[in-house]
Each structure stands twice: as structure tokens, then as C-alpha cells.
Amino acid sequence: KNEVEQSPQNLTAQEGEFITINCSYSVGISALHWLQQHPGGGIVSLFMLSSGKKKHGRLIATINIQEKHSSLHITASHPRDSAVYICAVLSNFGNEKLTFGTGTRLTIIP
Amino acid sequence: KAGVTQTPRYLIKTRGQQVTLSCSPISGHRSVSWYQQTPGQGLQFLFEYFSETQRNKGNFPGRFSGRQFSNSRSEMNVSTLELGDSALYLCASSSGTGRVRAGELFFGEGSRLTVL
């Protein structure tokens, strides 16, 4: 079992829909990152969370440390939101390394 | 403020050769980390440097090495290239101190390596 599991793997939605991407992890963490990767490779950091909830524009990220789960929400989705969204966790023991989920490919249709 | 700069952006090598990739972090950032991205394995952590010291290393063979200079620029080297080393190599810088990767990450555009 991977340390970081994302769901769904692929998501297609109509413009304007509310989007939820989930991330579950199995290790103790000190932080969780949500990243966005557009075709061509460039990665942008969206959020870094260690507790609670953060909001930036139409994006909201939440984390429940007890349940080892985080969600990324996109409100009023737009075709420019089409990208791969990646969850990554920073473990809080031993070799503190960043472990990545396999990503969720989001396509927003106009 | 300039972002993270990686060079070269694209390169083609043959098996057995070696390659050196460069990463210039955002000015003032002292932490640089490297990642490999392949279609099969996704993103994987290679190593991290802070103030010229390697702080953490991922599960990669010794053919993969790196270093960081006093100006925080970092290089990674892959020796005796194998076909499976074909990948996008990304670096990220962070302003975090102490638990350095507890800071927000800023990624470069990556160096796409093809091994023939």
C-alpha cells in the first residue's frame, strides 16, 4: 500500500462545478503540500498545511490530522484549472522526506 | 524576484554517459531539493541540501549525487546513465530553516533527460 493515496485518479467535470480531490496518508506527518502541474511539467505549490483549513481564491484545502486525510476543493471550476493535482506529505520521523501521491488529472470542459 | 532556474531544460545522452544538472534557487533561499518524475513511478524525492550540507537522501543508487555551493546553487550528477534514468528532474527551493522542507516549495521548470 502506498504511503499517500489520492482519489480520484482522473476527474472530468463541466465548467462551474464544485471539485473535490482527496488525499489519504498512512504515516505521521509534519506538513502536507498540494501541488498543481500543468502540461509541460512546471509545478506550482498551492498550499502547505499542518492543520485546519486554508483558502486562496477559489481553492480551499483542508486537513484532518487524526483521520490522516486532506481534501482540495475548487469552487466555480474553470477550464484553466485543468491540470494534475498532486498531494505530498512530509513525514515527521526518521528520514524526513517528501512522499508524493500519484496525482489526480482534472479536466474541466467549457 | 527571479524564480528557480534549472539548466539545461532538455538534454539527450546515451547509456553509460554521465550528466550534470544545475539549479539556481530563489535569492535568499538556502534549501534546495531534487526530485525525479517518471510516468511509471511518479514524483520521487532524490535529495535535499541546506547550507551546502546534504540533509536527506531518497532511495536512489549511488550513481545519483549532488552538491550545493556557498551561493546556494545546486547541481546533481548522474553517472553511468541507464535507460531508466530518462525522466523529468525537478528542483525546488524553500526559505524554510530548521526543518527546512516545512517551508513552501518553489519549483523550477525541470530538466528533461532522455537516455538512448
Side-chain angles (χ1 to χ4, degrees):
Chain A
K1 188 179 189 294
N2 293 333
E3 288 182 354
V4 183
E5 300 272 358
Q6 280 186 243
S7 64
Q9 285 190 308
N10 294 283
L11 178 57
T12 300
Q14 292 290 132
E15 183 174 356
E17 286 190 37
F18 181 82
I19 303 298
T20 296
I21 299 170
N22 296 299
C23 175
S24 296
Y25 51 92
S26 57
V27 297
I29 68 169
S30 56
L32 180 144
H33 295 259
W34 280 103
L35 309 171
Q36 179 193 57
Q37 186 171 33
H38 281 284
I43 292 179
V44 174
S45 174
L46 298 175
F47 295 103
M48 186 185 69
L49 294 162
S50 54
S51 65
K53 175 180 175 178
K54 286 189 176 181
K55 184 176 189 293
H56 185 253
R58 296 179 295 106
L59 302 177
I60 303 166
T62 64
I63 188 168
N64 185 318
I65 296 294
Q66 287 73 31
E67 294 186 4
K68 292 186 166 58
H69 182 269
S70 176
S71 293
L72 176 68
H73 305 286
I74 305 175
T75 61
S77 58
H78 190 276
R80 65 174 174 266
D81 297 326
S82 298
V84 176
Y85 293 83
I86 303 167
C87 166
V89 301
L90 178 64
S91 62
N92 62 0
F93 68 93
N95 184 2
E96 290 180 319
K97 64 171 187 173
L98 208 55
T99 304
F100 297 87
T102 53
T104 295
R105 185 174 299 277
L106 174 65
T107 303
I108 303 298
I109 299 171
Chain B
K1 203 174 193 182
V4 177
T5 304
Q6 290 189 246
T7 57
R9 290 292 311 280
Y10 302 91
L11 65 167
I12 300 174
K13 294 284 188 178
T14 56
R15 280 181 299 174
Q17 287 187 310
Q18 73 164 9
V19 66
T20 299
L21 308 177
S22 177
C23 174
S24 293
I26 289 173
S27 178
H29 286 191
R30 293 160 65 190
S31 169
V32 174
S33 49
W34 288 90
Y35 307 88
Q36 181 197 64
Q37 186 176 37
T38 60
Q41 299 295 320
L43 271 162
Q44 294 182 281
F45 167 71
L46 278 159
F47 26 64
E48 175 191 8
Y49 289 88
F50 180 78
S51 292
E52 302 178 66
T53 300
Q54 185 180 87
R55 290 180 64 102
N56 285 300
K57 191 177 191 305
N59 299 324
F60 279 81
R63 299 185 298 107
F64 291 80
S65 63
R67 59 179 174 168
Q68 187 179 32
F69 302 95
S70 58
N71 62 357
S72 294
R73 189 177 72 84
S74 178
E75 288 182 347
M76 67 162 282
N77 183 276
V78 188
S79 62
T80 319
L81 284 166
E82 300 176 0
L83 295 178
D85 297 332
S86 295
L88 179 66
Y89 291 89
L90 291 151
C91 83
S93 75
S94 171
S95 62
T97 58
R99 301 180 76 175
V100 294
R101 275 175 289 104
E104 184 181 0
L105 297 172
F106 295 85
F107 286 83
E109 292 293 314
S111 294
R112 189 169 294 280
L113 170 65
T114 301
V115 181
L116 301 175

